[in-house]
Amino acid sequence: MDRRRFFQALATGGAAAVLAACGERGEADSAATIDAGGAAAPSTPAWFKDTAPFIVHDDGKSLEARLENMRGVITPVREFFVRNNSVSLDVDVESWRLSIEGDAVTNPIQLSYSDILKLPRRRLVSYLECAGNQRAMFDLVKGQKAAGTQWKTGGVGCAAWTGASLRDVLHLAGISDAAANVLLIGLDAESPEEGFRRVLPVEKALHPDTLLAYRMNNERLPRDHGFPLRALVPGWVGSTNVKWLGRIVVSRYPIWTRNNTTSYVLIGDAYPPEGEAAGKVTTKQVIKSALALPWPAKLEAVSQRLHCTAYSPDSRGFVGSSVCVSEPPLIIRGVAHSPDGPITRVEWSTDSGRTWRDATLSRYERYEWAWFTFDWDPVPGNYIVMTRATDAAGNTQPDEIPFNEKGYLFNQPLPHPVTVTPPRHAI
């Protein structure tokens, strides 16, 4: 549904019309998406993990997670999204080597897996998000379809990562004070440029929290997630977290590749070109929030019941006072995250953003995503539920963002269609 139709439907028919149109769109999109309960997987699987928990996109490279299935800060590996540029690799760890080279190192070296394991170990919990997560919303909300996999809200997860600091490896190779860029290159030779690659500025490469990760959720890094080694760059777009890492090139000069000139670049009237790029290069993620519900969602209203328990203070029989507790309304969950500091506030609205109320936030640490909840007691009907997050740096999700051709970094508050049905056992 384009933006004009979205607001026309909302004005003339309310949320019911929006839901109906979303349903029509869902049928149209079904030909472009392989759902776990629908068509069979390709004859040559692109992944090692079970695809059943995911929305399997027809590009053969993307497994979209379902936020409604997640609980808590840590996303289990079996539910963690996958974005590849080729099929997942099965790397022989015994012969694998990491090469560190370039004109800004004085001691080019190759490290084995055991060499990496001997380096000082760091562990941190961090969310990881595809730059194109929520890309479909450019079309569904703004009526401008962007190129690329039409992710809704599931191109994100949060895991515990263990590895060595990239800076320790760069120091082993004798990184020069003149270094400007660090190029990370994967072993996935079927990817563009015969190995997926992203450039980091030297300052980010030398940050102690930029890791070469070899464990995920206290287990050996899974093959779908980059075994034996991947980059982990907290708060930056997923493409900088290169999987199946094989080479690191350190340069005195800016490095321009496909993935910072024409891809992973914000291209549009609002984004002036940077250097040799066609627009603004994506680096950091942006502040976002999303409901942990399917899109669109159907919920059952809670039947209002009163639970009473009698008790006796001296345990001589249930003859004393009584405590009566009303059954809670619907408890709605969601996630929010920002690269610029802790989430300090999440607000929610059921009237398309005219009025807002505060949600309850979970406690979380740096780089983690924050889970939020709010109690909602709706009558049966159709609704548009929205959330917006604010972080400690003062960033709040914007009401509008300019379109970009590749559909990166969409972070407007999402108008989530929700229908509430009557309780099946109302009393």
Side-chain angles (χ1 to χ4, degrees):
M1 176 191 296
D2 63 27
R3 181 176 171 78
R4 179 179 58 81
R5 286 182 60 212
F6 179 89
F7 286 107
Q8 280 182 343
L10 194 61
T12 59
V18 175
L19 284 161
C22 284
E24 294 168 4
R25 184 51 181 268
E27 293 174 6
D29 282 349
S30 64
T33 302
I34 307 172
D35 192 271
S43 57
T44 304
W47 308 279
F48 294 98
K49 63 168 59 178
D50 181 7
T51 61
F54 301 95
I55 299 168
V56 185
H57 288 279
D58 71 339
D59 61 2
K61 302 172 183 176
S62 305
L63 300 179
E64 180 170 352
R66 301 177 189 271
L67 293 183
E68 63 270 23
N69 292 340
M70 297 184 187
R71 297 289 186 274
V73 172
I74 301 297
T75 305
V77 171
R78 66 179 181 275
E79 297 176 356
F80 207 102
F81 84 99
V82 178
R83 171 69 175 108
N84 288 344
N85 286 273
S86 64
V87 298
S88 289
L89 301 186
D90 189 7
V91 177
D92 175 21
V93 70
E94 296 302 322
S95 61
W96 173 87
R97 294 293 183 272
L98 176 66
S99 172
I100 302 94
E101 57 196 77
D103 62 16
V105 296
T106 59
N107 180 38
I109 55 174
Q110 287 193 342
L111 299 176
S112 68
Y113 188 67
S114 60
D115 292 332
I116 296 291
L117 296 182
K118 293 173 184 176
L119 294 171
R121 176 178 296 196
R122 290 182 60 85
R123 182 185 183 276
L124 57 87
V125 177
S126 175
Y127 77 91
L128 178 63
E129 182 179 28
C130 179
N133 193 33
Q134 303 187 10
R135 176 184 284 126
M137 303 306 164
F138 276 107
D139 188 18
L140 296 175
V141 177
K142 299 175 74 68
Q144 292 178 279
K145 188 171 184 177
T149 303
Q150 297 300 299
W151 298 91
K152 290 187 174 70
T153 61
V156 63
C158 187
W161 308 93
T162 303
S165 287
L166 174 56
R167 71 174 182 180
D168 289 345
V169 170
L170 296 177
H171 286 314
L172 284 176
I175 185 171
S176 164
D177 290 341
N181 277 182
V182 176
L183 177 65
L184 308 175
I185 305 174
L187 296 174
D188 44 346
E190 295 182 12
S191 296
E193 301 181 291
E194 299 182 347
F196 192 81
R197 53 193 67 196
R198 279 304 308 259
V199 176
L200 290 176
V202 69
E203 295 81 11
K204 190 63 177 178
L206 292 175
H207 192 285
D209 292 337
T210 299
L211 301 187
L212 300 180
Y214 46 77
R215 293 182 70 82
M216 179 180 182
N217 292 352
N218 299 321
E219 300 176 3
R220 193 178 80 166
L221 188 67
R223 290 173 292 182
D224 287 310
H225 296 281
F227 179 79
L229 196 70
R230 73 171 301 161
L232 191 282
V233 188
W236 280 43
V237 296
S239 60
T240 55
N241 299 259
V242 174
K243 297 191 286 188
W244 310 294
L245 195 61
R247 290 175 62 207
I248 299 174
V249 179
V250 188
S251 175
R252 297 168 178 261
Y253 308 101
I255 300 174
W256 298 99
T257 76
R258 168 189 177 272
N259 290 328
N260 66 349
T261 54
T262 59
S263 191
Y264 298 99
V265 174
L266 303 174
I267 302 172
D269 294 340
Y271 306 101
E274 296 179 348
E276 297 183 16
K280 178 179 174 59
V281 180
T282 62
T283 54
K284 283 198 311 181
Q285 268 293 352
V286 290
I287 187 170
K288 289 185 180 180
S289 64
L291 297 176
L293 293 173
W295 184 291
K298 289 187 178 181
L299 303 175
E300 182 182 341
V302 173
S303 175
Q304 295 301 310
R305 301 182 180 93
L306 202 63
H307 301 280
C308 298
T309 303
Y311 71 97
S312 169
D314 58 6
S315 301
R316 289 182 295 181
F318 293 97
V319 294
S321 302
S322 64
V323 175
C324 294
V325 180
S326 175
E327 185 171 286
L330 294 173
I331 300 175
I332 307 299
R333 304 166 57 252
V335 292
H337 45 81
S338 171
D340 293 319
I343 297 294
T344 56
R345 186 182 191 187
V346 173
E347 301 165 277
W348 60 283
S349 170
T350 58
D351 57 8
S352 300
R354 290 188 293 273
T355 58
W356 296 90
R357 286 168 280 186
D358 285 337
T360 300
L361 278 171
S362 66
R363 295 186 61 185
Y364 76 108
E365 303 297 330
R366 179 79 170 120
Y367 304 132
E368 297 175 1
W369 60 7
W371 282 87
F372 62 85
T373 60
F374 58 87
D375 294 346
W376 183 29
D377 191 12
V379 298
N382 297 300
Y383 299 86
I384 298 297
V385 183
M386 303 174 71
T387 63
R388 66 182 181 191
T390 300
D391 66 23
N395 301 305
T396 298
Q397 291 179 250
D399 293 335
E400 294 280 345
I401 64 166
F403 177 76
N404 69 88
E405 293 179 9
K406 307 282 186 173
Y408 298 129
L409 304 184
F410 187 97
N411 71 330
Q412 289 179 210
L414 302 180
H416 203 124
V418 179
T419 185
V420 179
T421 62
R424 284 171 290 181
H425 305 291
I427 59 174

